[in-house]
Amino acid sequence: MKEIGGYFELELNERYRPSLHSDGYQFNSGRHALEFILLSMGSKVKKIYLPYFTCEVVLQPITKLNIPYEFYPINFSLEIDNPPALKEGEYIIFNNYFGIKDVSIQTLALLYKDKIIIDNSQAWYAPEIAKTMMFYSPRKYFGLPDGGIATGLEKNLSNENLYKSLDKDFSYRRFSHLLKRHELSASEGYQDFSRNSSLLGTEPLKKMSDLTTKLLGSIDMQIAKDKRRENFDFLNQHLDSLNKFNLPSLDTFASPLVYPFLSFKEDLRTKLIENKIFVPTYWPNVYEWCDKDSTEYQLTKYLLPIPIDQRYGVDEMLKIIQVINFYGG
């Protein structure tokens, strides 16, 4: 019986409904969205190809399901130099790196058809491609405790029954870092962020929680998309001459996760962090997987994902530009 009365819950603005990927299967994380994709294919999957330059959590559902896998290299343009020829039962995962590889995704989807799985964890706004399996991670773009979506799967009886059999997740235990970020500094909430991420990593495959669904529905997706593009463009106008990374044109992708800035100056990442410009490392596991001379190792070490998200505007972008110019880019 539904409760009536009592204390109030957190109130959320639900005027905005998520128009993106709302028809997909919704889960508690991106890695679980991939797990559902693999489960939906069942015994058809004999082997997975995936890039060296990727997050180690992508391996979790693959190893959990005992699927053989093989890594492939990429180049400094984040492309596959020699796309592998797939045999029967073999599939390839390709990353939409930083949300800027939409054109590459479309090309590879034509090449591999139903043999490719697109990792759109870093590309929330990347458009879906009919009959192409994709998975998304909205918490990379927004203040959410969890969440993942799988698209491009048939809505057949088998998939529907598998989805209905799953428990629904609860997110309230992984919410503290989001609340602390409102009233405290990012550094004061970082331990909570790390702990909550670890908690999420221990959860099994579940449906997206009601709380995350409502949070996602409260976001104005268009404003966030436009702000990211504006900030990206502003940085590129001022830093393009220093950036060693050959960026694709802004009109070739929907909306970026970050501004990828490639600099071989050893201490630039440290200097940015010292100036409270928090630049993550994507992905430390690559140091263990690859040789020091490999493209992936160099990208992990020297490619700086500069924040350009919807929380920021010209003032913050100018600070980033000033720090990079001061330390030589």
Side-chain angles (χ1 to χ4, degrees):
M1 183 180 295
K2 184 176 180 179
E3 298 170 330
I4 300 174
Y7 63 89
F8 284 93
E9 69 273 26
L10 178 68
E11 294 199 43
L12 299 170
N13 179 357
E14 295 187 60
R15 288 180 299 168
Y16 304 109
R17 286 297 181 184
S19 57
L20 295 177
H21 326 305
S22 56
D23 290 335
Y25 290 102
Q26 299 185 332
F27 306 98
N28 50 344
S29 71
R31 80 194 72 167
H32 286 129
L34 172 59
E35 182 177 344
F36 187 86
I37 289 173
L38 297 175
L39 285 169
S40 74
M41 293 190 288
S43 60
K44 290 192 302 182
V45 187
K46 306 300 182 186
K47 185 176 182 179
I48 296 286
Y49 287 87
L50 71 159
Y52 281 108
F53 192 51
T54 195
C55 182
E56 61 186 345
V57 302
V58 174
L59 270 179
Q60 291 181 7
I62 296 172
T63 56
K64 177 182 177 181
L65 298 174
N66 295 313
I67 300 172
Y69 62 90
E70 182 177 330
F71 290 110
Y72 65 81
I74 60 169
N75 57 34
F76 270 100
S77 296
L78 308 176
E79 302 280 358
I80 312 173
D81 271 332
N82 298 298
L86 301 181
K87 300 175 183 177
E88 185 69 26
E90 294 183 342
Y91 295 80
I92 186 168
I93 295 175
F94 183 77
N95 292 37
N96 192 337
Y97 293 105
F98 314 122
I100 64 173
K101 304 302 293 183
D102 290 7
V103 171
S104 298
I105 298 303
Q106 293 165 4
T107 301
L108 288 169
L110 287 173
L111 173 65
Y112 285 115
K113 297 182 172 56
D114 61 349
K115 296 287 188 180
I116 193 167
I117 302 169
I118 303 301
D119 183 345
N120 275 331
S121 296
Q122 295 189 333
W124 172 253
Y125 289 95
E128 298 171 30
I129 301 174
K131 298 182 180 180
T132 297
M133 296 174 288
M134 300 179 164
F135 62 97
Y136 296 82
S137 181
R139 72 190 183 105
K140 302 291 192 301
Y141 273 70
F142 310 110
L144 301 170
D146 44 54
I149 298 178
T151 65
L153 296 174
E154 290 185 31
K155 292 294 183 79
N156 56 37
L157 185 61
S158 176
N159 288 343
E160 291 293 306
N161 286 339
L162 176 59
Y163 187 67
K164 289 177 182 177
S165 71
L166 299 175
D167 292 331
K168 185 174 287 188
D169 202 0
F170 295 98
S171 298
Y172 64 89
R173 293 181 298 123
R174 301 186 297 267
F175 210 72
S176 58
H177 65 287
L178 298 171
L179 297 175
K180 283 187 176 182
R181 190 69 203 263
H182 267 288
E183 298 185 321
L184 304 174
S185 66
S187 55
E188 288 174 292
Y190 186 75
Q191 280 192 333
D192 290 65
F193 170 76
S194 297
R195 183 177 63 252
N196 292 337
S197 295
S198 296
L199 278 173
L200 181 59
T202 64
E203 289 288 345
L205 172 62
K206 293 180 180 179
K207 297 176 187 174
M208 185 182 289
S209 72
D210 288 338
L211 178 56
T212 298
T213 301
K214 288 183 178 181
L215 286 166
L216 195 55
S218 73
I219 298 166
D220 189 324
M221 298 286 171
Q222 189 62 47
I223 287 177
K225 176 182 180 180
D226 292 345
K227 179 58 69 174
R228 286 174 173 274
R229 290 176 61 85
E230 290 168 10
N231 289 337
F232 184 100
D233 189 42
F234 189 86
L235 283 186
N236 200 44
Q237 288 178 33
H238 291 81
L239 296 177
D240 184 54
S241 61
L242 295 175
N243 194 352
K244 308 301 182 187
F245 184 72
N246 185 23
L247 284 169
S249 172
L250 183 59
D251 62 8
T252 64
F253 53 88
S255 192
L257 176 69
V258 293
Y259 178 78
F261 184 81
L262 182 62
S263 170
F264 296 103
K265 187 172 178 60
E266 292 283 345
D267 62 347
L268 184 55
R269 187 189 304 271
T270 301
K271 296 301 182 183
L272 285 164
I273 293 172
E274 286 176 353
N275 282 273
K276 298 191 181 300
I277 301 167
F278 299 126
V279 180
T281 298
Y282 299 136
W283 292 273
N285 51 278
V286 173
Y287 291 140
E288 300 176 8
W289 292 355
C290 300
D291 296 331
K292 288 185 177 181
D293 294 333
S294 69
T295 299
E296 290 81 4
Y297 194 102
Q298 299 299 308
L299 286 170
T300 302
K301 185 175 182 180
Y302 294 114
L303 197 148
L304 307 175
I306 306 297
I308 47 92
D309 62 74
Q310 59 270 17
R311 296 171 291 180
Y312 308 118
V314 171
D315 290 345
E316 290 83 5
M317 298 304 105
L318 284 173
K319 177 182 177 181
I320 291 168
I321 292 164
Q322 290 167 358
V323 171
I324 289 177
N325 283 331
F326 184 81
Y327 290 105

